Amino acid sequence: MFKRRTLFIVGAGASHEVGMPVGIDLAKRITRLLDFKAAEPGPNQGDGDMHFLGQFHRRFGIVDAYRRAGWAIRDGVRLTHSIDDFLDMHNVNEIILRVGKAAIAQTILTAETNSSLFFNPYSYQETFNKIEATWYMKFFRMLGRGINLGNAKEIFEPVSFIIFNYDRCIEHFLINALSLVYTMPLEDAASIVSDLNIIHPYGTVGDLPFLSSNNPVPYGPLRGSDKFDYTILAERIKTYTEQIGGADETNAIRNEMRRAECIVFLGFGYHDQNLALLKPEEQLKSIPVFGTAHGFSTHNREVVHQKIERMFQQPPPRVISYSPVVIDQHATCANLLDDYAQSLTAGK
């Protein structure tokens, strides 16, 4: 159980623990999706998803411009850090943005279906065996200690999330976990999760069933399903440039930062544009901060540590130098919850 108001700031690395693609892997999958065949015989005879391309034709009445936009993304995205960076570079090109966002939606939904969190309703143990060592399981065990069925509705009161991913892994897991632990219908579990304060700065690929009655999108639609129009789901996804225009959401994010009594970064890349989105104009009060930096070099970890420290007021001086900010370059998300469990669940 968390005794302080704890804010979890979640990046792509957190979803990677259950098999979701990140960075270059996501870009590679999108490249394959957008490798469309040319309209006429010639050198461009790729293996891209022509049904996906056809959705643009059906909705917008033209196809060649969208085919060329797909090729532009296919040929350029591997030279950038991510599909997000590529789309931000082309934020004035509406057609490239439509194709890129729709490609993100289809790729993420397909990845959800193939992820370890795609619960088999006939064998939950099969799913648990796959996710046993992930941070999802460790987090829920920490969260639920001391919470019984009578006060299950209060389980999320001490925590909130800012999730920079397009997927719904956390919401999906929490609904199923609540349902199984407290033997309640999925609808009741979803009602509790709906009260959890979750902010997705860049949007998601859709609202989960039970969390919305307005065109819900299941976690991982069935393989081969043609049910969803990805050109419509694309409208739920934002680029960085589009996000910074949303003052209400930016204020909500920064209010969460101010309210937090402990902050935990999980699988976060610490990119400057995302740190700028998190940082209020004034320095935040000094509080414990924990973060993963798995795979970072020592130098890059130190740079990140300094960036995070500058967001907060300095703690009172001590005889022995002390920083409340811990950025661990050896810890995965799961390791962080293991190694700092006592500190994370400590009181004020």
Side-chain angles (χ1 to χ4, degrees), residues 90-317:
H90 293 269
N91 61 60
V92 297
N93 189 319
E94 184 177 3
I95 292 180
I96 283 182
L97 288 179
R98 284 177 180 167
V99 174
K101 291 178 180 181
I104 289 172
Q106 176 162 337
T107 304
I108 292 296
L109 287 173
T110 301
E112 284 182 352
T113 306
N114 296 318
S115 75
S116 302
L117 281 181
F118 191 72
F119 280 84
N120 179 349
Y122 303 106
S123 177
Y124 286 113
Q125 297 309 312
E126 177 185 325
T127 301
F128 292 143
N129 289 340
K130 292 178 182 178
I131 66 173
E132 177 63 45
T134 68
W135 75 270
Y136 295 86
M137 296 284 276
K138 299 172 189 296
F139 167 76
F140 196 83
R141 288 170 181 154
M142 295 168 70
L143 183 72
R145 178 167 289 177
I147 303 293
N148 57 36
L149 182 59
N151 60 351
K153 291 183 178 180
E154 303 169 7
I155 191 169
F156 296 123
E157 283 188 359
V159 299
S160 55
F161 285 87
I162 299 173
I163 304 173
F164 283 82
N165 307 332
Y166 304 116
D167 63 67
R168 294 84 47 82
C169 289
I170 291 175
E171 296 94 318
H172 170 72
F173 171 76
L174 292 177
I175 291 172
N176 281 275
L178 277 174
S179 176
L180 292 170
V181 168
Y182 294 104
T183 60
M184 63 176 65
L186 288 170
E187 295 92 333
D188 294 348
S191 178
I192 296 174
V193 172
S194 69
D195 290 333
L196 170 59
N197 192 10
I198 298 178
I199 301 173
H200 282 271
Y202 299 132
T204 70
V205 294
D207 292 325
L208 290 170
F210 306 128
L211 290 182
S212 173
S213 58
N214 183 24
N215 299 319
V217 180
Y219 182 89
L222 294 177
R223 293 173 177 85
S225 171
D226 296 333
K227 179 178 178 181
F228 298 103
D229 185 336
Y230 298 105
T231 71
I232 294 176
L233 295 183
E235 296 170 0
R236 300 180 54 91
I237 291 174
K238 306 172 189 175
T239 64
Y240 169 68
T241 305
E242 291 168 329
Q243 200 292 325
I244 60 174
D248 289 344
E249 192 163 70
T250 299
N251 288 336
I253 290 168
R254 293 175 179 175
N255 283 337
E256 284 301 317
M257 295 289 288
R258 295 186 187 99
R259 294 171 66 227
E261 297 168 333
C262 177
I263 293 176
V264 182
F265 291 93
L266 295 176
F268 194 64
Y270 306 100
H271 302 305
D272 286 341
Q273 67 267 32
N274 293 334
L275 289 176
L277 185 60
L278 295 169
K279 183 181 178 183
E281 293 181 2
E282 74 282 2
Q283 277 189 314
L284 297 162
K285 61 186 177 183
S286 178
I287 60 173
V289 177
F290 302 88
T292 59
H294 186 65
F296 282 49
S297 68
T298 299
H299 175 77
N300 286 340
R301 188 214 67 84
E302 290 174 354
V303 170
V304 166
H305 189 275
Q306 291 169 7
K307 288 180 179 179
I308 301 299
E309 273 196 326
R310 286 196 292 269
M311 295 172 67
F312 297 88
Q313 299 169 5
Q314 293 299 305

